Amino acid sequence: MAVAIITGAGSGIGRAVAVELAGRGWDIVLAGRRAEGLEETARLAGRGLPVPTDVSDAASVAALFAAAKAEFGRIDLLFNNAGTNTPALPFETLASEALAEVIAVNLTGPLFCAREAVAAMKAQAPQGGRIINNGSVSAYGPRPHSVAYTASKHGITGLTKSLILDCRDFGISVCQVDIGNAATARTDRMSQGVPQANGTTAIEPRMDVAMLARHIVGLAELPAEVMVPFSTIMPTTMPLYGRG
């Protein structure tokens, strides 16, 4: 049975992917800061090992992977999903702590998790596995007042490209999913209207998060010799092209 680690598994996209993986027979390790959210995901999935984790802390990430290996013996998939954002305010008004937190969670965290995953996947027998990084359409079409988030997602693209190169000789495939407007609590505000690049405010469409999860799990279940380096999934009428 295949084993997956999902970060940011206590809600939203991470929860939806965990539920989809479990439904297809995967063993799942659920990582996130809130134990109660992870436990709820495990209940909804019907299985799962909750491991409260701060992805921005290297020791916490190491403990997560140690727990996964102790419980299941190997790691076949890392879904690097945990993320955060700053308030949508002018860049120069944001506190240094808020900027640092976005980079710590959105970029340093995935670096720490990928490092542990690569080490585990190289060492296990049979060797190999898959890493899926949650990117964002914001990396190439930024929203107003999203400097830190956009910069962090550019970093994820660099992480993905470098890992593809460094891991391909070890049976480890790496890909990135750039996601636009999934229907989660984080995007509820879009149904009320959000700022647009032209200075207006507009309601934006959202897509079913369960459908998104099926796309991500489909990538995870590709044959080992096949990969999709980058994919974008978004609502058809989302106003992405033309904003950046």
Side-chain angles (χ1 to χ4, degrees), residues 156-242:
I156 290 296
T157 300
L159 170 65
T160 300
K161 290 180 176 180
S162 290
L163 285 177
I164 288 170
L165 173 63
D166 292 345
C167 293
R168 63 190 178 195
D169 292 336
F170 302 96
I172 303 169
S173 64
V174 185
C175 69
Q176 178 171 321
V177 181
D178 293 323
I179 299 169
N181 290 9
T184 66
R186 183 172 291 182
T187 62
D188 281 347
R189 62 191 176 89
M190 293 178 183
S191 62
Q192 309 302 317
V194 290
Q196 302 295 303
N198 63 2
T200 64
T201 298
I203 293 171
E204 292 194 12
R206 301 189 297 163
M207 61 185 169
D208 177 31
V209 72
M211 181 276 303
L212 167 62
R214 292 192 292 273
H215 171 73
I216 292 168
V217 175
L219 295 173
E221 293 187 333
L222 287 170
E225 65 273 15
V226 176
M227 64 179 294
V228 178
F230 292 89
S231 63
T232 299
I233 182 166
M234 55 184 265
T236 300
T237 57
M238 180 180 171
L240 171 65
Y241 291 95

Side-chain angles (χ1 to χ4, degrees), residues 85-90 94 98 145-146:
N85 204 349
T86 61
L89 298 171
L94 291 171
H145 304 314
S146 65

Side-chain angles (χ1 to χ4, degrees), residues 15-29:
R15 173 174 286 174
V17 170
V19 169
E20 182 69 19
L21 284 167
R24 299 195 192 192
W26 287 66
D27 285 319
I28 53 175
V29 181

